[in-house]
Amino acid sequence: MPGYYSDTFVALKRLTPEMENLSKSLNARITDELRHLVQLQHNHIAKIYGVYSCTVDSEVRSSLVTEFGTKGSLKDLLEDKDTSKFNLTWEMKRCLMLDVIQGLSAIHRESALGFHGNLKSQNCIVDGRLTVKLTDFALASLLDPIRQARREQKFKKEEEKTDEFYKELLWMAPEKLKLECPEVQNKT
């Protein structure tokens, strides 16, 4: 969901109620992690401005405030069949790939995070200059347990194993795939 922060167009990523409940118990760790993320600056990493909270109908709602990708996600760009907007040549695709590599390198070398943890085409935003920036790596201590629980639920239910589910697994790091989805390993 888009919004404005200090005259800057930003993306607001709503924290789910389960994230908010977990964040109450991990408050000190999350605050420390968020401080590092706000200070993290790189051309290929989406800027994180902080967390916005408001009260709606006596319920506190929180959102992560991040840089907005004016061209959408890398997935949107790569899957768009309308060549009137962009005709992505292999040279342009190579540049997009190098942007992802540079963002990952910065996370691995220059941040306290050490790894992305949720790399997929939807989590790579594209700005107006066709620069790819990594996003949705934030607050791993908050998001990882929730993502893992959701993945386990989907994997147990045969009807939830849609093409989207398997496409998400294609973007997962092999070492993470082995840890989180051992059933996939057994099916090969």
Side-chain angles (χ1 to χ4, degrees):
M1 171 171 50
Y4 281 95
Y5 170 75
S6 297
D7 296 328
T8 303
F9 201 55
V10 295
L12 299 170
K13 182 177 173 89
R14 172 103 160 76
L15 299 180
T16 64
E18 58 190 344
M19 290 178 196
E20 289 177 355
N21 291 337
L22 187 58
S23 71
K24 291 172 187 165
S25 62
L26 300 171
N27 202 2
R29 230 169 63 198
I30 290 172
T31 303
D32 189 45
E33 197 172 325
L34 189 59
R35 187 178 304 110
H36 287 291
L37 294 172
V38 169
Q39 294 170 353
L40 182 62
Q41 292 189 15
H42 191 274
N43 290 339
H44 300 290
I45 296 176
K47 174 84 176 122
I48 296 175
Y49 296 98
V51 175
Y52 170 76
S53 294
C54 65
T55 305
V56 177
D57 298 328
S58 70
E59 178 187 341
V60 176
R61 295 185 182 171
S62 300
S63 297
L64 192 61
V65 182
T66 66
E67 185 174 349
F68 184 79
T70 55
K71 300 291 184 194
S73 72
L74 184 57
K75 178 182 180 181
D76 299 335
L77 191 65
L78 293 174
E79 292 182 355
D80 189 4
K81 302 298 181 210
D82 183 5
T83 56
S84 65
K85 292 182 199 169
F86 296 105
N87 186 11
L88 287 177
T89 63
W90 280 105
E91 181 63 25
M92 291 171 75
K93 289 177 184 177
R94 185 182 74 77
C95 290
L96 297 172
M97 183 176 54
L98 287 173
D99 288 351
V100 173
I101 292 168
Q102 288 176 347
L104 278 175
S105 179
I107 288 173
H108 287 234
R109 293 182 181 158
E110 300 169 24
S111 77
L113 294 172
F115 63 95
H116 187 287
N118 194 29
L119 181 64
K120 52 188 173 184
S121 57
Q122 298 103 299
N123 293 338
C124 300
I125 60 169
V126 183
D127 70 10
R129 298 178 309 140
L130 291 181
T131 301
V132 176
K133 298 183 178 201
L134 304 185
T135 188
D136 205 20
F137 52 85
L139 304 174
S141 57
L142 178 62
L143 297 174
D144 282 349
I146 294 165
R147 287 181 186 136
Q148 174 65 21
R150 284 183 187 158
R151 227 179 265 114
E152 285 173 2
Q153 281 180 326
K154 282 183 182 178
F155 207 87
K156 287 177 184 171
K157 296 179 183 174
E158 216 37 63
E159 67 274 5
E160 297 233 2
K161 293 181 187 174
T162 62
D163 286 345
E164 275 304 308
F165 173 74
Y166 288 109
K167 280 182 184 177
E168 185 177 323
L169 294 180
L170 285 173
W171 281 84
M172 189 179 291
E175 62 276 9
K176 196 164 175 152
L177 185 62
K178 284 179 184 177
L179 287 173
E180 294 186 15
C181 300
E183 297 87 354
V184 172
Q185 197 174 350
N186 296 339
K187 294 201 178 208
T188 58

